[in-house]
Amino acid sequence: MEKAKIVLKSGKDQSINRYHPWIFSGAIKKIIGNPAEGDIVEVFDNKDTFLAVGHYQPGSIAVRILSFEPVKTDIDFFREKIKSAILYRQSIGLLNNPSINVFRIVHAEGDNLPGLIIDYYDGIAVMQMHSVGMYHLRRDFAAILGEVLGKRIVAVYDKSESTIPYMSGITNVNGFLAGNSGPVIVTENGYKFKVDWTTGQKTGFYIDQRENRKLLQSFTEGRNVLDMFGYTGGFSVYAMKNAALVHTVDSSSSAIELADENVNLNYSDTSRHKSFRIDAFEYLNNIGGKYDLIILDPPAFAKHNNALANALQGYKRLNMKAIEQIKPGGIIFTFSCSQVVTKENFRKSVFAAAANTGRKVRIIHQLSQPPDHPVNIYHPESEYLKGLVLHVE
Ligand code: SAH
């Protein structure tokens, strides 16, 4: 069947010439043919020059580009891309690492596979498709993972139910595409964590904080640590190694249970750890003088641009409460994982928070995401995780 042709308005090919992998619906002059959601389409400028090939999606991001060359996007094409993503992980020491068996195999645009996320949990691959085009290929991806990773793959789970955009006629239900497995206990930098992709947030674990957790540990010795928005207790488990006490706060009771379970998995004496199921803003109303290390790792305050102003206010309020009340000489690890909040905007919010308290604040580290969550240089939006480490006098 002839592929549909997407013809761009004059001048709207600029972002493609800079390899940006998205085409917004506003850039389209006309569509020749009648592409269905998820179909492969070819993109041309208005002088009929080929520009790119990608997945079509009615909506604001109309095409997610797979290649800027006129290639055949068959199973071999995807096999090569996934292979290259895996080889890259191997080259950075993540594939045969005895102390890490949890990492991201495919990071969407960061691996030139827009719309596809694959996370690895000691043998279990959990996939989240963000486009219908990628969703249609899920069984091929499961087969490719088996071919390329061999015995390292025990099962492949599709968790796209909440990430797939509106589709006519497809009702996705999460489930295994290959093999089967209950929750597993993974190892990250030698620490153990229980991962349950069926009930957990995202694909089951916030893998993207691995290196920031490691850095945290270099500050925790002898400190009173407050892990806000703790979820699995990722930061708390690292802090427990040498902190005087660790408090985990989360508003979800299942998160608190999981954090307790993970602390128990790693330490026989957990008397230095306590967790609290309470709203973060409420908890932070009265912590004056209690803590000298605070982690703020909230969920994305803004999912869309129209929520940006409120989100920035939220970051400011949250950081202000922490900066105001932390003990002198205290350290704050503060994060934003909202894609629409830029590094600059996040820093401005934290700056405004600090200015309101009048305390002396140094930025001592600027944090981002680990190398298994690579940033496509042509797609600045893939740099979604931002963090600052503050020293407060
Ligand atoms: N730091 C975690 C990830 C945090 S995810 C890790 O390293 O794994 C964000 C968490 O914030 C979720 O567990 C969610 O339940 C919790 N949360 C969301 N809103 C909250 C609120 N208002 N108060 C407290 N916790 C909240």
Side-chain angles (χ1 to χ4, degrees):
M1 208 179 65
E2 260 309 92
K3 284 188 207 83
K5 257 173 106 164
I6 307 280
V7 182
L8 299 188
K9 292 175 184 161
S10 162
K12 291 292 184 187
D13 51 354
Q14 278 178 11
S15 75
I16 289 217
N17 292 331
R18 281 185 255 113
Y19 304 109
H20 193 280
W22 293 346
I23 292 182
F24 290 99
S25 53
I28 297 175
K29 181 177 164 192
K30 63 177 172 187
I31 299 179
I32 302 170
N34 189 16
E37 196 166 16
D39 277 358
I40 293 280
V41 292
E42 289 182 326
V43 184
F44 291 80
D45 69 9
N46 72 340
K47 295 196 184 81
D48 213 27
T49 307
F50 173 90
L51 296 172
V53 55
H55 279 140
Y56 179 68
Q57 187 77 49
S60 159
I61 304 173
V63 183
R64 288 178 167 81
I65 293 173
L66 295 164
S67 177
F68 297 94
E69 306 289 329
V71 291
K72 236 169 104 181
T73 50
D74 54 11
I75 185 159
D76 293 336
F77 170 86
F78 286 102
R79 184 184 296 108
E80 286 314 305
K81 290 222 166 185
I82 291 177
K83 247 191 194 165
S84 127
I86 291 173
L87 277 175
Y88 160 66
R89 267 74 183 171
Q90 190 167 17
S91 77
I92 56 169
L94 282 176
L95 219 52
N96 301 307
N97 189 328
S99 67
I100 300 175
N101 59 24
V102 42
F103 57 90
R104 179 156 287 190
I105 299 179
V106 171
H107 184 55
E109 284 83 1
D111 286 297
N112 301 307
L113 285 164
L116 179 64
I117 297 284
I118 307 179
D119 286 337
Y120 182 81
Y121 297 113
D122 191 21
I124 319 302
V126 181
M127 303 202 287
Q128 279 195 322
M129 273 68 75
H130 291 255
S131 73
V132 177
M134 288 300 193
Y135 178 72
H136 285 328
L137 294 161
R138 65 200 180 284
R139 293 189 191 282
D140 290 333
F141 296 148
I144 291 170
L145 287 170
E147 276 168 44
V148 180
L149 289 169
K151 285 210 179 82
R152 289 199 188 89
I153 285 288
V154 174
V156 182
Y157 188 79
D158 165 22
K159 202 186 175 183
S160 308
E161 196 174 309
S162 58
T163 59
I164 210 89
Y166 164 76
M167 295 172 283
S168 47
I170 303 176
T171 41
N172 168 273
V173 178
N174 295 338
F176 283 98
L177 297 170
N180 206 318
S181 168
V184 293
I185 290 172
V186 298
T187 305
E188 183 189 88
N189 290 319
Y191 293 104
K192 294 187 171 60
F193 293 97
K194 179 179 159 193
V195 177
D196 186 347
W197 43 88
T198 58
T199 56
Q201 302 169 28
K202 300 223 281 190
T203 64
F205 192 63
Y206 283 75
I207 305 174
D208 54 2
Q209 290 286 23
R210 180 179 57 243
E211 298 202 342
N212 300 329
R213 292 184 188 118
K214 201 171 168 183
L215 178 71
L216 172 88
Q217 200 172 61
S218 62
F219 289 94
T220 48
E221 189 165 1
R223 291 198 192 251
N224 292 349
V225 177
L226 173 60
D227 181 8
M228 297 299 297
F229 308 94
Y231 185 36
T232 58
F235 286 100
S236 299
V237 165
Y238 282 64
M240 274 294 283
K241 172 111 193 280
N242 55 14
L245 66 85
V246 179
H247 289 170
T248 313
V249 171
D250 202 290
S251 56
S252 136
S253 47
S254 57
I256 287 300
E257 272 171 35
L258 191 55
D260 285 343
E261 203 175 333
N262 284 330
V263 171
N264 287 332
L265 267 178
N266 290 278
Y267 302 95
S268 48
D269 176 6
T270 59
S271 56
R272 286 174 298 130
H273 179 247
K274 243 194 196 156
S275 44
F276 302 90
R277 194 194 68 77
I278 180 173
D279 177 79
F281 287 91
E282 200 183 320
Y283 189 83
L284 286 177
N285 276 339
N286 193 12
I287 55 154
K290 269 198 206 159
Y291 301 103
D292 50 9
L293 203 168
I294 301 177
I295 300 129
L296 302 172
D297 186 22
F301 282 166
K303 293 244 157 71
H304 300 285
N305 255 320
N306 52 16
L308 182 62
N310 279 341
L312 295 177
Q313 274 304 317
Y315 289 119
K316 179 178 158 191
R317 258 193 336 125
L318 183 67
N319 282 279
M320 209 171 96
K321 282 172 184 276
I323 296 171
E324 243 170 13
Q325 298 177 80
I326 197 162
K327 281 196 205 167
I331 300 284
I332 300 177
F333 273 64
T334 179
F335 296 97
S336 161
C337 61
S338 310
Q339 195 178 58
V340 295
V341 174
T342 62
K343 200 159 52 182
E344 291 72 26
N345 273 338
F346 178 59
R347 189 165 154 167
K348 272 187 207 153
S349 300
V350 178
F351 154 79
N356 267 342
T357 68
R359 292 186 73 173
K360 289 206 176 67
V361 179
R362 295 179 172 92
I363 296 176
I364 58 176
H365 285 280
Q366 305 195 38
L367 308 177
S368 183
Q369 57 215 60
D372 51 333
H373 294 61
V375 178
N376 177 340
I377 199 163
Y378 306 113
H379 180 252
E381 296 90 333
S382 40
E383 186 176 357
Y384 67 98
L385 182 61
K386 298 140 301 257
L388 295 170
V389 184
L390 309 175
H391 175 273
V392 185
E393 268 191 34

